[in-house]
Amino acid sequence: MPPDIELAEAAIVEHYPRLVRLAYLVLPPSLGRNRRVLTAHSLAQRALPRGRRGAGAQAAAAAVQGGVPGQRGTPGADSGYAYVRLRVLRAALEAGVPLTFRALPRRAQLPPLLPQVWGLRLFPRSGGAEELALDQWLATLDGPGRAACVLRALERLPEPEVLRVLTEAGVANPAAAVAESGDPANDALFASPEFDPCALQARPTDLLRRRRFARASLAAAAALAVCGALLALPGGGWGADGAAAPPYALNAAAQQALDPGKLVRVAPTAWRTSSRTGFSTWPARGDRTDDAELLRRALAVWARPGSAVVASATPGTPPGPPMGPPQLLFAGTVDQAVVVLLYDGLRVVRYAEPRTGTSVAALDFARTDAASAESATALVLSRVDGNVRYLTAPWVTGVGLRDLLKPGEAPAALKPGRDGVTPPVASPAPTGNCTGWNALALTGGGATRLVTDLGELTPARLTSGAPGAERDVAEAAELGDWSRIACLLPSVRSHGVRSVNAWTYAKQPLPEGDGTATWLCTRAETWAGTEDRVQAQFLAPGAPLAAQAAKAEGSPACGAREPRVLAGVLWKSKAGQWYVLAAGSAQFASLSVSGGGVSGSANGNRLAVKAPAGAQVELAGRLTDGTRAGVLR
């Protein structure tokens, strides 16, 4: 039966340091010294039983009439100390029980409501080596073992009494707890200041963290105040956005797009039976496809990139959030980063974060609408120290590395990993000396396609042939042409290029018997389809690289809509004579040149007229249907 509440309160007040020390020693050291101190004080203060005042006065009077009141000394059961000690011990043992989802937490398992100390960390004074060794040994015991130690060493109870108190405290095996309670030779150390939670030292908490927390609290309070003011405004008709929801309002479709559980995952063999082969038939690959937290971060950064995100988008690519649940293409560890590739039907999005730390994240957008089996053969996974790793399409069965500047050499075989990730490959340098230009030869679907990195998520496909009849580069002559124009590819780098076609539209015998020159036209088609880049190149016999003769942006020339091109150069013969050389595609019936002291014309699609050095001339042509046409510009 609990004692009178006033007697219990007197016992707590009189023996408070002893009760707090008992609770501090029984609590698990894993809580940390600051929380153990506060929890020990909280358990001692909560040991006061529930009841009413009044009965204690009668008991005190009876004690006075019966003789001299009990003197202060070793606490006894009649003083109420044994009862509050049992309550403190039972609560300390409960606080050491780990929290689980199978049962509701007990009050002692939760952080104490009172007392609380803001801005300071409290801990007892440090002892010597013996106290440190004792504290480390106590950490190896369980709660009942520490309780048996404290009852014997601090409370000076004999073993039968220790067994009885542990049984009343709810210990399942008191004898085992007493057996592991240690050597009585160290009992005097339990009274050391090392274990006194009433004589404390104070240190500040994390000052930077407090400052950030304070700023975040102020920002949250200001946001709540603004929202409250907006909600309190009276309605007065349509706003500027009409019936649209306020910015960042919850929307069912937007929420589904941010849910990693809603991501579209395609079957590994879907590309074999699908009527359309593109990125939409790629399966989800990588060793982190089931990492919901990673996928949640990738989707959230896609929708709301913060200040720590380095974002980029190829020209013509909208960088906004997904319109619905996107398709997962890849999620895995690549070199020193973790990469996620997502596809929403219009764009491929690459999210990358470091494997360790949270310094910065990357978000890249690339437009890929209307991708086919020819243009959806690979994606760039990572770029590290000038090297590139690709993720190949599921239908790619062979990968080779070819140097475009060495057309006579066979491609070096590469062995992708199980998920289709290639080994690191040196990327073509956008600047500097052009001593090599790497391209991947991807075999699959009955064809071998050349693709090269132009600084984007999607490598550009390289083709040859007349407009409307482009084909994969395979023949020796086509490889030879590409070896002389590959170094001009940096001019179309990072422009959202889908494919680059090289077309030999004319061959011209040079004056004075200096050989035969080749005229080529390269057209870089973009995914957006509105800013295609066209170049006309002149290749003199014996020259290692082609020279750019003309260029245009957004022009239909050299393409399926306008399959013609005309360009000219000022060329010097071996004998030192300068000529205006011009050549057009087969659609031209005649060419003419004027200005700069030069005048001349020629039937057919080729022209060669003597000219002074540095002459500035006007070149024109007439098509077979009589229409006049100008040069590429």
Side-chain angles (χ1 to χ4, degrees):
M1 180 178 180
D4 181 81
I5 188 173
E6 293 185 358
L7 291 178
E9 181 183 21
I12 292 175
V13 172
E14 182 176 359
H15 304 289
Y16 185 78
R18 180 187 293 268
L19 292 171
V20 176
R21 186 188 290 259
L22 184 148
Y24 180 81
L25 288 167
V26 176
L27 286 171
S30 59
L31 293 178
R33 301 177 75 188
N34 180 72
R35 183 173 171 185
R36 282 172 68 194
V37 166
L38 297 180
T39 303
H41 282 272
S42 176
L43 297 182
Q45 294 173 19
R46 293 209 307 258
L48 186 67
R50 297 181 182 274
R52 295 178 300 169
R53 292 182 179 272
Q58 299 176 2
V64 172
Q65 292 175 1
V68 179
Q71 298 181 1
R72 300 191 180 205
T74 303
D78 56 346
S79 67
Y81 173 78
Y83 175 77
V84 296
R85 179 184 63 192
L86 181 62
R87 287 176 61 89
V88 170
L89 183 63
R90 184 180 292 126
L93 290 172
E94 291 177 353
V97 178
L99 289 171
T100 64
F101 293 102
R102 299 180 179 178
L104 293 175
R106 301 178 182 179
R107 185 180 181 185
Q109 293 176 276
L110 301 175
L113 296 177
L114 291 174
Q116 287 288 350
V117 178
W118 292 81
L120 291 176
R121 297 186 62 82
L122 304 177
F123 49 91
R125 298 180 179 275
S126 300
E130 295 179 345
E131 287 84 351
L132 178 60
L134 178 60
D135 190 39
Q136 293 175 346
W137 176 78
L138 286 174
T140 64
L141 302 180
D142 57 5
R146 291 191 297 273
C149 257
V150 173
L151 290 176
R152 187 200 69 226
L154 191 64
E155 294 297 302
R156 305 290 183 180
L157 297 182
E159 183 173 328
E161 187 68 12
V162 172
L163 293 172
R164 183 190 64 79
V165 175
L166 289 177
T167 302
E168 292 183 0
V171 175
N173 193 349
V178 172
E180 67 172 349
S181 61
D183 186 2
N186 297 324
D187 289 354
L189 295 177
F190 284 86
S192 168
E194 170 81 15
F195 308 111
D196 185 4
C198 292
L200 302 173
Q201 291 180 318
R203 293 292 185 273
T205 56
D206 190 332
L207 300 179
L208 289 178
R209 186 176 180 182
R210 280 167 47 187
R211 180 176 296 177
R212 296 191 191 102
F213 179 79
R215 291 175 179 174
S217 300
L218 290 175
L224 287 174
V226 172
C227 291
L230 292 176
L231 292 174
L233 290 176
W238 291 110
D241 295 330
Y248 301 101
L250 296 180
N251 176 274
Q255 286 181 290
Q256 288 183 353
L258 299 179
D259 184 359
K262 301 288 186 181
L263 283 172
V264 177
R265 298 170 186 259
V266 176
T269 58
W271 63 272
R272 299 181 184 273
T273 57
S274 174
S275 60
R276 176 181 174 186
T277 306
F279 293 114
S280 60
T281 60
W282 280 32
R285 291 174 285 178
D287 58 357
R288 302 284 289 273
T289 55
D290 296 326
D291 190 337
E293 293 300 320
L294 168 65
L295 300 178
R296 188 182 304 278
R297 289 195 300 273
L299 291 170
V301 171
W302 181 357
R304 303 183 306 277
S307 57
V309 178
V310 179
S312 67
T314 56
T317 305
M323 296 173 287
Q327 177 184 341
L328 177 62
L329 303 182
F330 180 88
T333 303
V334 184
D335 297 323
Q336 299 303 314
V338 180
V339 178
V340 179
L341 290 179
L342 301 166
Y343 174 66
D344 67 351
L346 173 66
R347 302 161 295 177
V348 167
V349 178
R350 175 183 177 270
Y351 168 80
E353 65 182 24
R355 294 178 64 179
T356 58
T358 57
S359 57
V360 69
L363 189 67
D364 302 311
F365 295 86
R367 185 169 175 176
T368 57
D369 50 318
S372 61
E374 293 78 16
S375 54
T377 53
L379 288 172
V380 171
L381 272 183
S382 71
R383 288 188 177 89
V384 178
D385 298 331
N387 293 323
V388 184
R389 285 186 188 268
Y390 298 88
L391 177 67
T392 58
W395 55 84
V396 171
T397 57
V399 181
L401 178 64
R402 177 183 287 279
D403 187 349
L404 293 180
L405 301 190
K406 299 176 181 178
E409 295 184 2
L414 298 177
K415 186 177 181 181
R418 182 172 55 88
D419 292 326
V421 180
T422 68
V425 175
S427 176
T431 58
N433 296 328
C434 185
T435 58
W437 193 280
N438 285 336
L440 288 187
L442 304 176
T443 302
T448 298
R449 300 178 176 91
L450 276 182
V451 298
T452 190
D453 177 28
L454 292 181
E456 300 167 1
L457 278 179
T458 54
R461 180 191 177 198
L462 305 181
T463 60
S464 293
E470 297 89 347
R471 58 186 179 274
D472 293 305
V473 180
E475 297 180 1
E478 296 167 345
L479 291 171
D481 290 343
W482 266 109
S483 70
R484 299 183 176 185
I485 61 176
C487 290
L488 297 177
L489 286 173
S491 62
V492 297
R493 186 180 178 92
S494 300
H495 285 91
V497 174
R498 177 176 183 169
S499 63
V500 183
N501 182 62
W503 171 36
T504 301
Y505 68 88
K507 287 186 177 292
Q508 182 177 20
L510 295 177
E512 303 179 13
D514 283 355
T516 301
T518 302
W519 292 86
L520 300 103
C521 176
T522 57
R523 181 177 180 87
E525 294 191 353
T526 61
W527 288 96
T530 56
E531 297 182 358
D532 297 350
R533 294 172 178 257
V534 185
Q535 292 184 16
Q537 288 109 7
F538 174 77
L539 181 59
L545 300 177
Q548 180 176 283
K551 64 178 181 178
E553 183 176 338
S555 171
C558 197
R561 289 184 176 273
E562 190 176 294
R564 65 173 185 268
V565 62
L566 171 62
V569 294
L570 195 62
W571 173 79
K572 185 179 182 180
S573 69
K574 293 179 180 180
Q577 176 62 53
W578 286 94
Y579 290 85
V580 171
L581 301 181
S585 54
Q587 294 85 357
F588 285 86
S590 63
L591 303 178
S592 62
V593 62
S594 61
V598 180
S599 178
S601 63
N603 292 326
N605 62 338
R606 294 168 297 186
L607 177 144
V609 178
K610 290 183 179 181
Q616 300 291 326
V617 300
E618 290 290 332
L619 182 64
R622 192 171 297 277
L623 304 178
T624 55
D625 61 359
T627 305
R628 187 176 176 83
V631 296
L632 178 67
R633 61 181 57 178

